[in-house]
Amino acid sequence: MPDPGQNTVEVEARLRFDEASLARFLRQEGLGFDELLVRKFGYGQSNPTYFLEAAGQRYVLRKQPPGKVIRGAHAVDREFRVMKALGEAGYEVPQVHVLCEDPQVIGTPFYIMSFVQGQIADNGLLKLPQEQRRPVMSSIVQSLAKLHSYDPEKLGLVGGPKPFGKIGGFYKRQVSTLSRTSEAQVAQSQGQVPPMRRLPELLRLFEQNMPPDRSCVIHGDWKPDNLILSLTNPPNVLAVVDWELSTVGHPMSDLANLCLPYHLGDFGKVVDYHPLGGDSTDISEEEAGDPAHQRLNLAKAL
């Protein structure tokens, strides 16, 4: 994670929690915190992410957001579980220390992991010097290949009372879920959401072009800004973060995420996902913030 001083903000009121209660819990777990410094990282919006410091020790807390949570969403226990399993197998993740599922401590479940000093690139790698982009992308691809080499059964992520995922049939389940979710959104919208006219055609295309079935641990949101890079030249992957969407699935899904910038076109600029290694001068900051320009790019992309 980059220098916390440059990437953290004061915790806003709705995301504050009882810091004294957290300190008591951490002392009980042997992490030795007394007076805590708590700041919030600017990223980690789905599951709020905090920087903790006391007596020279630096940690990161990741928690569910406050309020009612959709069933299955914001599952910090799953994040903790997969990171623990992968870390013990030698994969590049921050060391996880403790999971707390008791909402009485700070209001929601959370876990604590080590702070990793490094840098987080933008998704298009445009903030990196030109000569570093190719080696960084090579390191990102190598890290992805290493992730997909692990056997989820050997990691203990399959079976048991709370299986992390299922072996086989990942894309069939994805197609079924996409169809069912779309139909439910239309049915429950009271006419506000029209049917996606070309969705049946798209689903048929998927079904007719299924890749050979494979199963491995997938990240679920594999893109450069979910990786912490070293401060060396050239940088390499130190740790992979944000495992909220991780499961047992098909390796092509992570690769497809990484390849998105090659297919988004101008729409990628609207959502701050520029083509990997592209020319950062092809769109000005004024244009990027101009709603009219954004609508034009979106129209072109669609």
Side-chain angles (χ1 to χ4, degrees):
M1 296 167 189
D3 180 358
Q6 299 177 2
N7 295 276
T8 61
V9 296
E10 292 288 340
V11 182
E12 57 192 279
R14 70 180 186 88
L15 294 177
R16 290 177 188 155
F17 51 78
D18 188 337
E19 295 179 13
S21 177
L22 174 63
R24 288 193 296 271
F25 172 83
L26 295 177
R27 283 197 299 271
Q28 292 171 5
E29 296 296 324
L31 293 180
F33 281 119
D34 289 311
E35 295 183 6
L36 279 174
L37 167 67
V38 179
R39 301 270 296 177
K40 184 180 178 298
F41 284 105
Y43 42 82
Q45 300 303 316
S46 179
N47 286 331
T49 307
Y50 302 79
F51 171 73
L52 308 179
E53 184 173 23
Q57 300 284 344
R58 291 177 163 189
Y59 293 93
V60 173
L61 179 151
R62 192 156 157 89
K63 68 187 290 290
Q64 283 186 351
K68 187 175 181 180
V69 175
I70 299 173
R71 182 181 177 183
H74 309 288
V76 294
D77 58 321
R78 287 176 57 85
E79 286 192 41
F80 180 88
R81 182 180 177 186
V82 70
M83 291 173 69
K84 187 174 189 299
L86 288 169
E88 291 175 349
Y91 189 64
E92 299 85 17
V93 290
Q95 180 184 1
V96 292
H97 296 284
V98 61
L99 169 69
C100 177
E101 299 184 87
D102 181 1
Q104 298 301 316
V105 178
I106 63 169
T108 68
F110 67 92
Y111 67 90
I112 303 292
M113 58 183 163
S114 291
F115 174 82
V116 178
Q117 183 68 56
Q119 61 178 321
I120 296 179
D122 60 294
N123 285 324
L125 305 183
L126 300 180
K127 295 179 182 178
L128 294 176
Q130 183 77 36
E131 69 275 8
Q132 291 185 358
R133 296 174 189 173
R134 182 178 293 274
V136 164
M137 181 51 62
S138 177
S139 180
I140 289 173
V141 172
Q142 290 174 28
S143 182
L144 181 59
K146 182 178 179 181
L147 171 64
H148 292 164
S149 73
Y150 291 104
D151 184 335
E153 293 185 276
K154 291 182 179 178
L155 291 177
L157 297 175
V158 177
K162 294 180 67 175
F164 186 77
K166 298 179 181 179
I167 297 294
F170 174 74
Y171 275 124
K172 288 184 178 180
R173 292 194 299 274
Q174 292 286 299
V175 169
S176 176
T177 300
L178 178 59
S179 177
R180 185 173 62 252
T181 301
S182 178
E183 291 172 359
Q185 288 176 334
V186 173
Q188 298 172 14
S189 72
Q190 298 180 339
Q192 297 298 310
V193 177
M196 299 176 67
R197 291 182 292 106
R198 300 191 65 181
L199 182 60
E201 177 186 348
L202 183 63
L203 295 179
R204 285 194 298 272
L205 180 66
F206 288 156
E207 291 170 345
Q208 293 167 3
N209 293 274
M210 288 284 188
D213 200 12
R214 285 184 58 192
S215 295
C216 65
V217 178
I218 62 171
H219 180 270
D221 194 18
W222 189 269
K223 51 193 177 74
D225 70 359
N226 279 331
L227 286 77
I228 302 172
L229 304 176
S230 68
L231 300 174
T232 57
N233 186 12
N236 61 281
V237 176
L238 292 178
V240 182
V241 295
D242 199 351
W243 292 83
E244 181 182 354
L245 300 179
S246 179
T247 188
V248 176
H250 199 288
M252 291 291 286
S253 61
D254 276 339
L255 181 60
N257 269 339
L258 185 60
C259 291
L260 268 178
Y262 296 111
H263 303 280
L264 289 176
D266 282 345
F267 180 62
K269 301 169 188 176
V270 178
V271 295
D272 197 26
Y273 210 151
H274 294 254
L276 288 164
D279 182 3
S280 61
T281 64
D282 59 355
I283 179 171
S284 68
E285 291 184 6
E286 289 80 9
E287 288 177 321
D290 178 20
H293 185 86
Q294 292 178 354
R295 287 195 296 271
L296 174 61
N297 278 342
L298 178 59
K300 289 179 180 178
L302 297 177

